[in-house]
Amino acid sequence: MKTSLPFICNPDYPFARQWIAALQQAMPDEEVVPLSALDAHARASCTVAIVANPLPQDVRQLPQLRWVHSVWAGVERLVADLADLELNVVRLVDPQLAETMAEAVLAWTLYLHRDMPLYAAQQTRRQWLAADYARPQDTTVGLLGLGALGEAAADRLAGAGFNVCGWSRMRKSVSHVECFAGAVELPAMLARTDILVCLLPLTVETRGLLNATTFAQLPHHASLINFARGPIVCDDALRAALDAERIRHAVLDVFSIEPLPPDSWQWAHPRVSVLPHISAPTDRQTASAIVGQNIRRYRETGEIPESVDLARGY
Ligand code: NAP
């Protein structure tokens, strides 16, 4: 008989049915069902669940739960909501997600590097004016975060000819990347960065990391791409830095409140490009295959995949 495997998401989430179908296809030996389909006996014995931004009270309905597999890479809300439970949180690590993010980082880096915001603004004024050309070899992209996504982005950027620097908590060794580590080395990386790309998880340490102090450590006219999480950036400090032309342009895919409210300043700021959290959408098929492999191994061996370090927050 098949074991019931709950998929738990927010009741408003519009793609639950599609996720259940993709997960079911990847795991024919399981019966993937919404939480509401589990009877009392199944709830009492369930040890693993798949989650997509679940309500914490729903997860708490499973008293024997040992671990949850998220279908997203960022799990800060899950970690905060379930901190009191003795639960392993496994996040999605999918090479396809890393490739999608690397493509977005390269695309928006080129957008800034080739002065597209400038030419778009000039077009509205019918202005024919060529800016100086800089070679990618003369442009340094600084990556905040050299994890699954940061490393893939670094590879694409280096392949396109950019100088690449990267910053992580522990020192890393990545080919073609000048690596910086820890809070003490952040100012040195910022000082040589022309385009700063944020790919950090949101944790106690990274919340508000990009503020007036760190912006002041960038060269004048550096640009910012935030593809990680909104609260890593202090919005007021960013606005001030943009208004003062300390920061030339910001490409923002993530915000403290999403969807970005219609009255937010970012929508109309001439130095901001607003994206609706699209830099790296999870691919349901590849993600379901990875979740399926992990669940299968757990059923066969009892092994829980590498989990989020709850103290570290990622
Ligand atoms: P990851 O593999 O966990 O990598 C995180 C990186 O950040 C690591 O290099 C880590 O350093 C570094 N880091 C964490 N805290 C730090 C600190 N305090 N100081 C310096 N470095 C620090 O995560 P990932 O899979 O690359 O994903 C990164 C984030 O991208 C996710 O958490 C999520 O928020 C975001 N994301 C956004 C989208 C989107 O569509 N916008 C899609 C997917 C993911 P160590 O290497 O030393 O541990």
Side-chain angles (χ1 to χ4, degrees):
M1 207 176 82
K2 290 183 183 182
T3 315
S4 293
L5 177 60
F7 175 79
I8 313 177
C9 60
N10 193 295
D12 299 334
Y13 182 57
F15 297 110
R17 210 166 33 81
Q18 289 87 334
W19 266 111
I20 289 173
L23 289 161
Q24 184 62 77
Q25 199 173 12
M27 289 177 277
D29 296 340
E30 304 277 338
E31 192 187 14
V32 185
V33 292
L35 180 66
S36 56
L38 285 192
D39 62 22
H41 173 73
R43 284 180 193 221
S45 57
C46 176
T47 60
V48 55
I50 302 168
V51 296
N53 279 345
L55 296 177
Q57 60 268 35
D58 284 346
V59 178
R60 288 171 199 277
Q61 290 184 32
L62 304 172
Q64 295 300 318
L65 200 61
R66 292 183 60 205
W67 65 293
V68 291
H69 201 321
S70 172
V71 294
W72 314 136
V75 289
E76 69 281 349
R77 202 182 307 165
L78 207 52
V79 167
D81 286 346
L82 303 174
D84 61 309
L85 297 182
E86 281 194 8
L87 196 61
N88 287 278
V89 174
V90 176
R91 69 188 194 97
L92 180 69
V93 181
D94 181 353
Q96 178 57 55
L97 184 76
E99 281 310 307
T100 307
M101 181 59 93
E103 178 186 67
V105 169
L106 180 60
W108 293 96
T109 298
L110 288 169
Y111 169 83
L112 296 169
H113 172 65
R114 293 307 307 262
D115 293 314
M116 292 198 212
L118 173 73
Y119 293 121
Q122 286 186 181
Q123 186 173 345
T124 64
R125 300 191 290 271
R126 298 170 184 256
Q127 194 174 24
W128 182 280
L129 199 58
D132 278 346
Y133 173 72
R135 298 180 312 157
Q137 290 84 344
D138 297 326
T139 301
T140 299
V141 183
L143 290 165
L144 295 172
L146 276 177
L149 305 185
E151 272 206 44
D155 191 52
R156 282 281 181 104
L157 291 165
F162 290 98
N163 282 325
V164 185
C165 295
W167 184 67
S168 52
R169 225 165 51 95
M170 310 302 286
R171 186 169 312 285
K172 303 206 90 169
S173 169
V174 182
S175 54
H176 309 298
V177 179
E178 191 180 350
C179 293
F180 294 79
V184 285
E185 293 184 13
L186 180 59
M189 189 184 88
L190 294 177
R192 72 182 69 183
T193 292
D194 299 304
I195 299 174
L196 183 66
V197 180
C198 183
L199 289 173
L200 290 166
L202 177 61
T203 67
V204 172
E205 286 181 17
T206 65
R207 183 178 289 272
L209 179 83
L210 295 178
N211 53 38
T213 305
T214 39
F215 288 144
Q217 291 162 350
L218 289 164
H220 273 277
H221 304 297
S223 298
L224 169 70
I225 298 175
N226 186 10
F227 283 171
R229 285 292 182 265
I232 296 172
V233 173
C234 290
D235 286 341
D236 290 347
L238 176 61
R239 189 180 193 175
L242 289 163
D243 288 345
E245 301 188 19
R246 262 211 68 79
I247 291 189
R248 194 168 167 207
H249 198 87
V251 176
L252 305 175
D253 184 45
V254 287
F255 300 88
S256 294
I257 303 173
E258 295 182 12
L260 184 65
D263 59 353
S264 300
W265 62 269
Q266 290 93 332
W267 284 115
H269 199 289
R271 294 175 178 277
V272 173
S273 299
V274 171
L275 301 173
H277 203 138
I278 48 75
S279 52
T282 300
D283 180 301
R284 263 195 292 278
Q285 263 60 48
T286 58
S288 295
I290 287 166
V291 173
Q293 280 165 18
N294 287 337
I295 301 269
R296 205 168 304 121
R297 193 176 323 115
Y298 169 69
R299 297 287 193 215
E300 285 166 11
T301 67
E303 186 189 328
I304 296 176
E306 187 182 335
S307 305
V308 170
D309 179 330
L310 297 181
R312 228 175 41 168
Y314 71 98

